[in-house]
Amino acid sequence: MVKAFCADLSGDKKYYLFDVESGSLHSVDYAAFLVAKNKYYLPQNKDESDRLSATEQSDFKKLAAAAILEIEGELSELERAGVLNAPQTHYDVPFTGEVKALCLNICHDCNLRCPYCFAKDGTYGMPKEYMSEEVGERAIDFLLANCGGRRNLEIDFFGGEPLMNIEVVKHVVDYAKEKAASAGKNINFTLTTNGLLLSDKNIDYLNQTMQNVVISIDGRERVHDALRKTAGGRGSHAAVLENALKFRKVRGDKSYYIRGTFTSQNLDFARDVLYLADKGFDQVSIEPAVLPDSDPLSIRAEHLLQIFSEYDALSKEYVRRRKHNDGAFNFFHFMIDLKNGACVYKRLKNCGAGSEYLAVAPSGDIFPCHQFVSDGAYKMGNVLSGEFDKVRQKDFSQMTVQHREHCQTCAAKYHCSGGCKANSLHFAGDMLSPHKISCEMMKKRFLCALAIYAQENA
């Protein structure tokens, strides 16, 4: 399958052909773009956007027959080389039963009240609960017992707000390091925080122990404070920004991310990305909220054109800043590497939720990921009792992008891997069906990322 697309990142339109199966990206002239778009468009399984537009059809008809024949010959050469219109390969994904990462919901409580949060004020719709040292220890034991031959493992501390249970975080880290060393394993730690409790002491601890730290800021003050309020109803922007800047200064070149959320209230989210970059944060991610259509904050189909325009505008400024080293930053969704990217199995499975990646609630219950924690039907076991449903784990391992019918004609399928299983379940009815709004945004971000990659690696 071939995706023909154009991008204008610096006042000059560029044309590209992306071969989905081989992962090859080709820069072509306008004539080759038109011929390829005409040649590879298949009405029965392609998006209507892949069809030649009225203007493109007119331009295509103006091409000389000899020129079209020459271009088609060059395209055929690329096909024979296996880098254009390559056949789809089916991969048998082995089930090893290995677990490589756990998300520890270290507490079901939060000091913010963000209305778009899937965790419902950090409690997941349940009574407030804090993970004990015992549950934390048994979670580490479970990971080490089920990691098989994997040497490098991961623990993500999540909530609620994990810094509300920082002493247990510290205990679990110490315990994990000791047990991992004895087992000849290495465990990397990540913590996600809303930033309110980033005291100097906590900053120092996180900087020393965490391989990655994610701090939530939605962007401009008015945007952030409209939704990210304290339990008392006050805006949190000033305090979070001050704490995050302190952490950034200490962090140096170690991994971190500023992670925001945009909703229907700030569809001009590119401004929030640039606001954060201008504050000195060079690792930024702004994610769309995923909510029911009935929610006033939800992103709906009628918002997509504006959102696409925002990604285009952000792409142009992103490239300009990086080219001139003028406030350059990394934007999570534009980070792509066609040469040294993820292995094929990673591209098929994405996060590995339910198989390689699991979540542990404060009670010790095991779930496919943190977004399933409020749904008892998806409980897979418990680290205290030692129960674990290997049958369900195998079922999750087989939910690859190859088994998602709607993904088969999507150019982004090996980079999106079918999207979030929890979002598919909660908003589309089952884990193999698309959350269509998320799909459309993913496709747009992917094409932006390809164009940026091509421009920066020309």
Side-chain angles (χ1 to χ4, degrees), residues 365-435:
D365 289 340
I366 303 169
F367 292 89
C369 82
H370 54 286
Q371 293 212 52
F372 285 89
V373 165
S374 61
D375 191 342
Y378 286 89
K379 176 182 171 182
M380 297 176 68
N382 185 283
V383 298
L384 294 176
S385 68
E387 299 171 89
F388 182 55
D389 190 340
K390 285 279 188 177
V391 174
R392 176 166 276 183
Q393 184 194 23
K394 184 175 182 179
D395 289 343
F396 268 93
S397 76
Q398 300 305 305
M399 292 183 195
T400 71
V401 71
Q402 297 178 128
H403 298 92
R404 293 171 177 257
E405 182 179 354
H406 69 279
C407 293
Q408 301 317 303
T409 57
C410 176
K413 65 178 182 178
Y414 294 129
H415 295 266
C416 164
S417 309
C420 173
K421 296 182 181 71
N423 286 344
S424 291
L425 176 66
H426 298 148
F427 299 102
D430 67 81
M431 285 184 281
L432 294 179
S433 295
H435 177 240

Side-chain angles (χ1 to χ4, degrees), residues 159-386:
E161 172 47 52
L163 293 184
M164 295 178 73
N165 198 13
I166 185 61
E167 294 307 318
V168 172
V169 170
K170 293 178 179 179
H171 179 85
V172 172
V173 168
D174 289 343
Y175 183 85
K177 286 181 176 179
E178 180 183 350
K179 291 294 183 178
S182 298
K185 307 289 184 178
N186 176 61
I187 299 181
N188 292 318
F189 304 97
T190 295
L191 185 141
T192 299
T193 176
N194 62 35
L196 272 182
L197 297 178
L198 277 177
S199 62
D200 291 346
K201 183 179 179 181
N202 284 342
I203 287 173
D204 183 61
Y205 176 76
L206 297 182
N207 186 50
Q208 290 185 37
T209 58
M210 300 293 153
Q211 185 191 37
N212 194 19
V213 176
V214 181
I215 305 173
S216 297
I217 308 176
D218 281 357
R220 293 162 291 174
E221 183 172 6
R222 69 168 182 81
V223 170
H224 182 103
D225 280 350
L227 300 176
R228 297 186 69 81
K229 298 182 183 294
T230 66
R234 292 186 296 180
S236 60
H237 180 272
V240 171
L241 180 62
E242 179 181 359
N243 293 342
L245 287 171
K246 285 182 181 179
F247 180 82
R248 175 69 190 97
K249 185 176 181 179
V250 169
R251 191 62 170 170
D253 60 359
K254 296 180 184 178
S255 296
Y256 80 98
Y257 256 103
I258 298 298
R259 196 269 192 208
T261 300
F262 74 87
T263 71
S264 61
Q265 289 192 4
N266 64 311
L267 294 174
D268 59 344
F269 61 89
R271 295 187 181 186
D272 295 297
V273 175
L274 297 177
Y275 169 87
L276 292 168
D278 289 340
K279 289 295 181 182
F281 300 113
D282 59 354
Q283 308 295 328
V284 180
S285 174
I286 293 283
E287 311 286 335
V290 182
L291 297 162
D293 281 348
S294 58
D295 193 301
L297 297 176
S298 69
I299 294 169
R300 300 180 295 279
E302 60 264 31
H303 298 142
L304 287 176
L305 285 180
Q306 183 176 347
I307 289 171
F308 293 168
S309 179
E310 285 294 301
Y311 281 125
D312 285 336
L314 181 59
S315 298
K316 291 180 180 180
E317 179 62 10
Y318 185 77
V319 166
R320 187 197 68 78
R321 290 184 178 215
R322 288 161 65 91
K323 180 178 180 180
H324 299 288
N325 197 24
D326 176 21
F329 64 98
N330 292 326
F331 181 63
F332 178 78
H333 289 295
F334 292 165
M335 303 296 291
I336 192 171
D337 186 349
L338 296 179
K339 293 181 180 178
N340 303 296
C343 69
V344 64
Y345 296 114
K346 170 69 173 174
R347 289 186 285 123
L348 292 173
K349 295 187 290 186
N350 199 354
C351 66
S355 55
E356 299 173 337
Y357 174 84
L358 302 166
V360 180
S363 62
D365 289 340
I366 303 169
F367 292 89
C369 82
H370 54 286
Q371 293 212 52
F372 285 89
V373 165
S374 61
D375 191 342
Y378 286 89
K379 176 182 171 182
M380 297 176 68
N382 185 283
V383 298
L384 294 176
S385 68

